[in-house]
C-alpha cells in the first residue's frame, strides 16, 4: 500500500531556477522550510521554534508541488508526497495508519520534506462525523494533527501541505503549531508568464520570431501548468509540420488549443 500512495524521491531534480514568477512565495518557503533544515542551530540559539507546517494554497497548476520539490532539492532532503485523496475512501483505520506510515518513512529518511497535496480531502470543514465515511476521514485528520503536535519542531522533518480549496479547510488545521504559515500561490501575472514561457522553452529550438512578451500578454489567466502544456503542444505542431524549429505561430496556435481544452474542462467541473 505504501508504495502505491506514497511518492518518495531523494533530492528531486526541480531547482529554484525552474520556478517562474513566485519570488515572494519562494522567499517565504526558504525562510520557513529551508532555514530550519539547514540551520536548526540558529533557531535553537535564538530560542524560537520554526513554523511547524506551511500551507500553500491557490489554483491548480501554479507551482505548489514545484516549490516543495525545489526546497527538498536545495536542502538535499528526501521529498515524500502523499495526496489527501489517497488517504480517504479506504478501509476503517487505514487512513490513520497511512498517516503514521508517512511520518515513519519521513523519520527514516531525514532530512525530509513531507508534502501533503489536496489536504482538503482529509481536512474539510464540511465533514459530517455522523456518517461513517466521514468519521473515517475525521480519524485520518486527527492522526495527522497528533503526529504534528507530537513531533519535535526542531527535527529535520518539514511539512508542507497544499490545497486548491482554501475556503473548505477546517480551521483546526490552521491553529498555531500546525499549518500556521499560509502562503498564497496565485496564477502568474504577465511578467511571471513571460518567465515561465522562457523556462519551458529553455531546451527547445525556438525561432527568433518568438516574442515572449507578446505570448505573456496573450495568455491571460494561464497557470504555469497551462504554459508548460502550450510549449509542449507547440513542439508537436512543429513535428507535425516536419520542422524542428518552433515558430511564434506554433505557440499561438498551441495557446488557442490549450485554452479551448481548459474551457471545456471548467464547463464540466464547475
Ligand atoms: P496542483 O494543485 O494541481 O497539484 P501545483 O500547484 O502543485 O498543482 P505543480 O505540480 O507544481 O502545480 O505544477 C505543474 C507543472 O506546471 C509543473 O511541473 C511545471 O512544469 C508547471 N508550472 C507550474 N507553475 C510553474 C511556475 N511558476 N514556473 C514554472 N513552471 C510551472
Amino acid at each position: 500500500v505504501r508504495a502505491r500512495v506514497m511518492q518518495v524521491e531523494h533530492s528531486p531534480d526541480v531547482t529554484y531556477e525552474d520556478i517562474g514568477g513566485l519570488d515572494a512565495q519562494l522567499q517565504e518557503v526558504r525562510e520557513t522550510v529551508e532555514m530550519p533544515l539547514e540551520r536548526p542551530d540558529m533557531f535553537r540559539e535564538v530560542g524560537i521554534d520554526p513554523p511547524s507546517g506551511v500551507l500553500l494554497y491557490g489554483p491548480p497548476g501554479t507551482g505548489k508541488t514545484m516549490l516543495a520539490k525545489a526546497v527538498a532539492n536545495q536542502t538535499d532532503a528526501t521529498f515524500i508526497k502523499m495526496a489527501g485523496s489517497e488517504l480517504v475512501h479506504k478501509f476503517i483505520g487505514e487512513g490513520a495508519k497511512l498517516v503514521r506510515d508517512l511520518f515513519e518513512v519521513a523519520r527514516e529518511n531525514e532530512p525530509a520534506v513531507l508534502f501533503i497535496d489536496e489536504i482538503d480531502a482529509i481536512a474539510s470543514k464540511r465533514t459530517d462525523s455522523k456518517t461513517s465515511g466521514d468519521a473515517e476521514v475525521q480519524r485520518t485528520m486527527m492522526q495527522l494533527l497528533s503526529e504534528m503536535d507530537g513531533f519535535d519542531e526542531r527535527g529535520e522533518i518539514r511539512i508542507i501541505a497544499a490545497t486548491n480549496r482554501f475556503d473548505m479547510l477546517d480551521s483546526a488545521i490552521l491553529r498555531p503549531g500546525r499549518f500556521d504559515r499560509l502562503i498564497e500561490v496565485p496564477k502568474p501575472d504577465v511578467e511571471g508568464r513571460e518567465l515561465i514561457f522562457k523556462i519551458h522553452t529553455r531546451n527547445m529550438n525556438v525561432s527568433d520570431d518568438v516574442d515572449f512578451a507578446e505570448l505573456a500578454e496573450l495568455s491571460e489567466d494561464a497557470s504555469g501548468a497551462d504554459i508548460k502544456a502550450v510549449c509542449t503542444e507547440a513542439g508537436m505542431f512543429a513535428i507535425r509540420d516536419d520542422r524542428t524549429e518552433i515558430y511564434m505561430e506554433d505557440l499561438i496556435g498551441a495557446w488557442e488549443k490549450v485554452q479551448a481544452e481548459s474551457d471545456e474542462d471548467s464547463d464540466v467541473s464547475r
Side-chain angles (χ1 to χ4, degrees):
V1 183
R2 257 191 195 188
R4 185 162 50 84
V5 296
M6 241 181 257
Q7 178 197 337
V8 180
E9 259 178 78
H10 295 278
S11 197
D13 61 5
V14 178
T15 69
Y16 294 147
E17 283 72 45
D18 298 325
I19 303 174
L22 295 174
D23 292 347
Q25 289 80 0
L26 189 56
Q27 172 76 22
E28 250 203 280
V29 168
R30 296 190 71 163
E31 276 171 26
T32 52
V33 185
E34 181 186 313
M35 270 295 272
L37 282 172
E38 290 200 326
R39 303 290 313 278
D41 52 306
M42 275 278 269
F43 286 84
R44 216 170 291 132
E45 276 165 39
V46 172
I48 56 165
D49 292 329
S52 320
V54 174
L55 177 75
L56 307 176
Y57 67 97
T62 48
K64 296 181 287 300
T65 308
M66 284 188 102
L67 281 167
K69 280 193 176 179
V71 77
N73 166 303
Q74 178 70 23
T75 52
D76 262 322
T78 311
F79 175 78
I80 303 169
K81 176 180 162 176
M82 174 119 85
S85 57
E86 299 275 10
L87 290 169
V88 297
H89 313 302
K90 299 277 188 256
F91 299 108
I92 301 287
E94 200 182 334
K97 179 170 185 322
L98 281 168
V99 170
R100 275 198 305 276
D101 284 354
L102 187 64
F103 279 80
E104 199 182 304
V105 170
R107 277 187 291 266
E108 285 163 4
N109 289 280
E110 282 184 353
V113 172
L114 228 172
F115 182 66
I116 306 172
D117 203 3
E118 304 168 39
I119 184 99
D120 47 282
I122 54 164
S124 154
K125 63 185 166 202
R126 299 253 177 91
T127 308
D128 172 4
S129 54
K130 284 188 217 73
T131 64
S132 66
D134 283 351
E136 173 59 9
V137 172
Q138 283 275 351
R139 266 194 291 276
T140 305
M141 176 168 102
M142 297 314 288
Q143 186 64 37
L144 173 65
L145 295 181
S146 99
E147 291 283 351
M148 287 185 75
D149 291 346
F151 87 20
D152 178 4
E153 272 131 26
R154 289 159 179 163
E156 290 190 277
I157 302 173
R158 304 274 94 208
I159 312 176
I160 303 179
T163 182
N164 307 320
R165 302 299 313 270
F166 184 70
D167 56 313
M168 299 258 294
L169 289 184
D170 188 324
S171 56
I173 72 152
L174 306 176
R175 278 193 210 128
R178 293 171 175 173
F179 294 99
D180 50 8
R181 249 337 155 91
L182 307 180
I183 304 177
E184 183 178 7
V185 184
K187 282 191 183 176
D189 61 11
V190 67
E191 279 155 35
R193 293 197 299 273
E194 183 170 343
L195 285 169
I196 298 170
F197 266 110
K198 287 180 177 160
I199 288 168
H200 287 292
T201 51
R202 236 171 7 200
N203 298 318
M204 288 171 65
N205 183 13
V206 289
S207 129
D208 290 340
D209 84 325
V210 171
D211 182 342
F212 289 102
E214 193 188 328
L215 285 170
E217 292 285 349
L218 272 176
S219 55
E220 216 188 317
D221 209 39
S223 67
D226 293 333
I227 294 175
K228 170 160 177 125
V230 169
C231 296
T232 305
E233 194 59 50
M236 291 306 299
F237 281 0
I239 289 171
R240 246 172 254 146
D241 208 20
D242 205 21
R243 277 182 281 117
T244 54
E245 196 178 26
I246 292 97
Y247 300 144
M248 183 67 173
E249 62 178 42
D250 297 322
L251 285 151
I252 294 175
W255 161 242
E256 283 162 1
K257 184 168 175 199
V258 167
Q259 193 182 26
E261 281 165 2
S262 82
D263 284 350
E264 273 170 34
D265 286 352
S266 53
D267 282 350
V268 285
S269 67
R270 273 174 216 279

